[in-house]
């Protein structure tokens, strides 16, 4: 998998949303099975429509030529979806697998609750990036907004730029790596040592995104859960 | 949920198309707000004159009203009637007297806004119907803001429709809901402000008016709002020379902006902007929370 190789491929199928209904696109994508010969889909004129290319469960390559609205590539499994523009709220929300690449910026709640796969955002991501993430790997080449990785349970969030307020609030076990400044940490999120195993993990994720060697992994700081909110604390018994 | 839009032209060549652009943006936002719609357009103005945007029941005889205030206004005012609304243009020096005359003799007429260039129109109904009723697509101007409402905090009435005027040539549209508007309304009423509705957004407009009356600039008033307004909001505010945008600190309500050499545009969603000229090459971005954005013709 190489995220850099994004020169437009010859499409097997072209869907122009200026003429064809969005429901038809998503229905056709859902019908495409693992055995389909039409692997490369080109989607034209998305014009900010919501729920473009959601719920794909086949190893397709989808290229979307323009900005999309809410929940693009949500629930994705297996497909590789490239958005040649900005994505609205909740891009790749609840993704299970595959690869989603936003060439521009993503709005809030990018990769929310996603279980697997990889979400790569070339620009910035808004607030609540990776909220309740459950195993997805998210790489943001720009900066992320406030309350990112809120209640993140598993997976990794890798940020080349800065993070907004309350990073990793109420975090479980998601791994956070930020190269730039963190405005503030959320409750129970702390900075942790960046050991060799973490550098290796970071390098592995970057390589999987086709970004090996583009940044120095030793420039990142690691953040994780202090694990103080996991269990009921006996000192709080007086509250009852 | 509501839809809000705004457009500010940098290129005067686009001014004749302002209404067309705003109308298209407003109609796309119908599924965010089908209950009522409204807009403010900043068109031409005459020196030392002020425009009053008036609203009355359907079929109201605005010509008769204009003749009625001619003595107070020192001549028959300029009159432009659009469905339930009319704009009268009067010498600025006579504004206080004309407003008093309207209040005394024409309680059936509401003054929805005033200013050298601002005209406000709003009505219950689908945005496309409202835009058509007022012939928005034929209006020209330098900038304008609009709103499509899905009512939450108060009734679906024309009085509850946006934009709300915040002072001369100033108005506001709001997506969100305020939780401390009753408290604020009581406090502002004590400060001498009057409110026509139970609407939370009208309180936000009144709050900005009050702040500016105390000497704050619009930017300062918006910044102070971050402390005093509790709730969810994205505001777009129009002034004589420009427009501003403010989102609450947690960015609860959506906002997308696009900027080219020709214009700056705001939409609750990118969909609202897709018909604008040159949008494919525009810089499209999301305004940061708790940050005042302002575009001004003087700048």
């Amino acid at each position: 998998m190489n995220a850099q190789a994004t020169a437009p491929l010859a499409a097997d199928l072209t869907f122009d949303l200026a003429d064809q209904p969005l429901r038809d696109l998503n229905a056709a994508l859902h019908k495409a099975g693992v055995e389909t010969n039409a692997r490369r889909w080109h989607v034209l004129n998305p014009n900010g429509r919501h729920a473009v290319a959601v719920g794909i469960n086949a190893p397709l390559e989808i290229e979307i030529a323009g900005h999309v609205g809410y929940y693009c590539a949500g629930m994705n499994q297996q497909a590789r979806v490239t958005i040649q523009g900005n994505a609205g709220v909740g891009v790749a929300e609840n993704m299970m697998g595959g690869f989603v690449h936003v060439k521009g910026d993503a709005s809030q709640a990018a990769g929310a609750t996603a279980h697997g796969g990889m979400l790569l955002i070339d620009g910035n991501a808004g607030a609540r990036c990776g909220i309740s993430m459950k195993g997805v790997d998210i790489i943001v080449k720009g900066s992320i907004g406030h309350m990112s990785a809120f209640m993140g349970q598993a997976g990794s969030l890798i940020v080349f730029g800065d993070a907004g307020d309350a990073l990793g609030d109420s975090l479980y076990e998601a791994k956070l790596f930020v190269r730039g400044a963190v405005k503030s940490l959320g409750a129970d999120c702390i900075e942790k040592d960046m050991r060799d195993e973490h550098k290796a993990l970071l390098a592995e994720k970057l390589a999987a995104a086709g970004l090996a060697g583009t940044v120095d992994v030793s420039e990142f700081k690691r953040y994780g859960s202090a694990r103080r909110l996991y269990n009921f604390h006996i000192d709080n018994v007086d509250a009852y | 949920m509501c839809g809000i839009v705004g457009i500010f032209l940098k290129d005067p060549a686009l001014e004749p198309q302002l209404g067309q652009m705003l109308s298209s943006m407003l109609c796309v936002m119908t599924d965010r707000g089908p209950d009522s719609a409204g807009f403010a357009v900043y068109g031409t103005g005459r020196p030392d004159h002020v425009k009053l945007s008036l609203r009355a029941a359907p079929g109201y005889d605005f010509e008769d009203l204009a003749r009625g205030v001619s003595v107070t206004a020192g001549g028959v005012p300029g009159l432009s009637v659009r469905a339930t609304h009319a704009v009268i243009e009067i010498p600025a020096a006579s504004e206080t007297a004309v407003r008093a005359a309207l209040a005394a003799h024409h309680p059936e007429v509401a003054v929805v806004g005033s200013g050298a260039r601002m005209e406000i129109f709003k009505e219950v109904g689908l945005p496309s119907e409202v835009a058509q009723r007022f012939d928005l697509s034929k209006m020209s101007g330098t900038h304008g803001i609009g709103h499509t409402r899905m009512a939450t905090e108060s009734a679906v009435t024309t009085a509850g429709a946006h934009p709300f005027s915040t002072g001369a040539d100033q108005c506001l549209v709001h997506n969100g809901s305020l939780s401390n508007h009753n408290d604020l309304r009581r406090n502002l009423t004590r400060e001498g402000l009057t409110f026509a509705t139970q609407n939370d957004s009208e309180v936000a407009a009144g709050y900005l008016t009050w702040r500016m009356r105390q000497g704050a600039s619009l930017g300062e008033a918006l910044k102070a709002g971050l402390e005093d307004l509790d709730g969810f909001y994205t505001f777009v505010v129009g002034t004589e020379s420009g427009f501003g945008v403010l989102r609450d600190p947690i960015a609860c309500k959506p906002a997308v902006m696009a900027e080219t050499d020709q214009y700056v545009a705001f939409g609750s969603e990118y969909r609202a902007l897709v018909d604008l000229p040159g949008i494919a090459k525009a810089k499209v971005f999301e305004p940061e929370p708790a940050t005042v954005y302002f575009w001004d013709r003087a700048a």
Side-chain angles (χ1 to χ4, degrees):
Chain A
M1 202 183 285
N2 183 351
Q4 296 302 83
T6 47
L9 301 159
D12 296 322
L13 262 171
T14 298
F15 231 93
D16 190 344
L17 289 176
D19 305 324
Q20 292 165 284
L22 174 61
R23 276 170 190 263
D24 290 1
L25 168 68
N26 282 332
L29 288 169
H30 297 164
K31 226 179 266 171
V34 178
E35 303 300 321
T36 181
N37 287 323
R39 292 295 169 99
R40 291 171 187 159
W41 296 53
H42 215 144
V43 179
L44 306 178
N45 295 308
N47 286 345
R49 283 184 181 80
H50 302 320
V52 176
V54 290
I56 307 171
N57 189 18
L60 309 176
E61 288 190 34
I62 323 285
E63 181 147 326
I64 302 168
H67 305 304
V68 292
Y70 297 178
Y71 313 127
C72 182
M75 301 177 285
N76 185 52
Q77 294 204 77
Q78 303 190 56
R80 184 188 176 86
V81 180
T82 304
I83 298 151
Q84 300 280 2
N86 295 349
V89 173
V91 64
E93 56 127 22
N94 216 59
M95 172 159 69
M96 304 303 285
F99 193 99
V100 175
H101 187 179
V102 181
K103 296 280 202 134
D105 296 334
S107 181
Q108 59 177 291
T113 74
H115 288 247
M118 181 172 274
L119 168 62
L120 171 61
I121 297 162
D122 286 355
N124 300 317
R128 296 172 274 273
C129 178
I131 183 172
S132 197
M133 55 193 285
K134 294 178 170 68
V136 66
D137 294 312
I138 302 174
I139 300 180
V140 182
K141 289 165 86 173
S143 296
I144 57 172
H146 61 268
M147 292 296 274
S148 287
F150 176 65
M151 293 189 88
Q153 289 140 61
S156 65
L157 172 61
I158 299 163
V159 184
F160 290 13
D162 303 333
D165 271 321
L167 175 70
D169 194 285
S170 306
L171 194 67
Y172 291 85
E173 288 305 309
K175 296 176 170 62
L176 317 182
F177 301 94
V178 182
R179 190 167 63 152
V182 173
K183 201 166 175 199
S184 68
L185 293 172
D188 210 34
C189 182
I190 54 170
E191 185 181 341
K192 296 186 168 184
D193 288 341
M194 186 77 174
R195 299 192 298 266
D196 287 345
E197 70 208 74
H198 305 118
K199 289 179 187 167
L201 176 81
L202 193 50
E204 178 201 318
K205 300 295 180 192
L206 292 171
L211 297 170
T214 58
V215 281
D216 179 356
V217 294
S218 64
E219 289 176 0
F220 287 80
K221 286 181 175 168
R222 180 170 73 104
Y223 303 89
S225 173
R227 304 191 176 103
R228 286 178 306 232
L229 295 177
Y230 269 41
N231 303 301
F232 179 69
H233 200 286
I234 196 65
D235 287 352
N236 294 328
V237 76
D238 288 349
Y240 297 92
Chain B
M1 188 158 72
C2 295
I4 51 180
V5 296
I7 178 115
F8 171 77
L9 299 180
K10 300 177 187 175
D11 182 357
L14 284 177
E15 286 177 14
Q17 296 167 47
L18 182 94
Q20 175 61 45
M21 293 161 91
L22 195 61
S23 170
S24 144
M25 295 164 82
L26 208 57
C27 292
V28 175
M29 288 292 95
T30 298
D31 37 357
R32 293 192 66 91
D35 293 335
S36 66
F39 54 89
V41 167
Y42 292 80
T44 52
R46 280 167 66 193
D48 305 320
H49 280 65
V50 66
K51 291 175 173 183
L52 298 183
S53 295
L54 309 177
R55 177 172 55 79
Y60 187 79
D61 189 349
F62 282 110
E63 289 185 13
D64 186 52
L65 174 102
R67 279 192 296 272
V69 297
S70 59
V71 175
T72 318
V76 179
L79 174 71
S80 148
V81 180
R82 292 176 190 262
T84 52
H85 286 50
V87 175
I88 58 169
E89 195 167 43
I90 54 172
S94 72
E95 182 185 352
T96 310
V98 170
R99 277 179 178 265
L102 287 173
H105 307 300
H106 300 280
E108 70 283 7
V109 174
V111 180
V112 292
S114 70
R117 302 203 295 125
M118 181 185 75
E119 300 182 10
I120 290 182
F121 303 89
K122 51 186 178 181
E123 200 59 272
V124 172
L126 286 172
S128 57
E129 292 166 5
V130 174
Q132 203 172 1
R133 200 171 304 156
F134 297 122
D135 220 2
L136 169 59
S137 62
K138 296 219 177 67
M139 291 186 194
S140 66
T142 53
H143 54 294
I145 66 175
H147 185 271
T148 65
R149 180 165 188 239
M150 189 177 283
T152 54
E153 294 290 302
S154 64
V156 178
T157 59
T158 303
H162 303 220
F164 286 104
S165 173
T166 59
D169 278 313
Q170 285 168 345
C171 63
L172 164 141
V173 290
H174 171 209
N175 175 200
S177 60
L178 300 179
S179 39
N180 64 339
H181 63 98
N182 284 329
D183 203 27
L184 268 176
R185 191 185 292 108
R186 273 193 297 275
N187 291 338
L188 291 170
T189 304
R190 214 170 294 138
E191 296 286 335
L193 280 91
T194 54
F195 294 93
T197 71
Q198 290 301 304
N199 187 284
D200 57 332
S201 310
E202 188 189 13
V203 176
Y207 172 81
L208 296 177
T209 305
W210 172 67
R211 280 280 179 202
M212 288 186 284
R213 215 182 263 177
Q214 292 189 317
S217 68
L218 178 66
E220 289 163 348
L222 285 169
K223 227 170 239 160
L226 287 167
E227 290 296 319
D228 294 333
L229 302 175
D230 187 13
F232 305 134
Y233 50 86
T234 296
F235 294 127
V236 177
V237 183
T239 71
E240 198 274 325
S241 58
F243 86 145
V245 172
L246 177 67
R247 302 176 78 191
D248 68 63
I250 64 163
C252 187
K253 294 296 174 185
V256 177
M257 305 214 55
E259 184 163 16
T260 73
D261 291 342
Q262 290 187 294
Y263 58 82
V264 180
F266 175 96
S268 288
E269 298 174 23
Y270 175 72
R271 288 186 301 146
L273 313 178
V274 295
D275 291 331
L276 296 177
I279 189 70
K281 293 210 170 85
K283 178 192 166 206
V284 176
F285 64 101
E286 195 168 299
E288 297 276 331
T291 305
V292 175
Y293 289 79
F294 206 79
W295 283 266
D296 203 275
R297 295 206 306 154

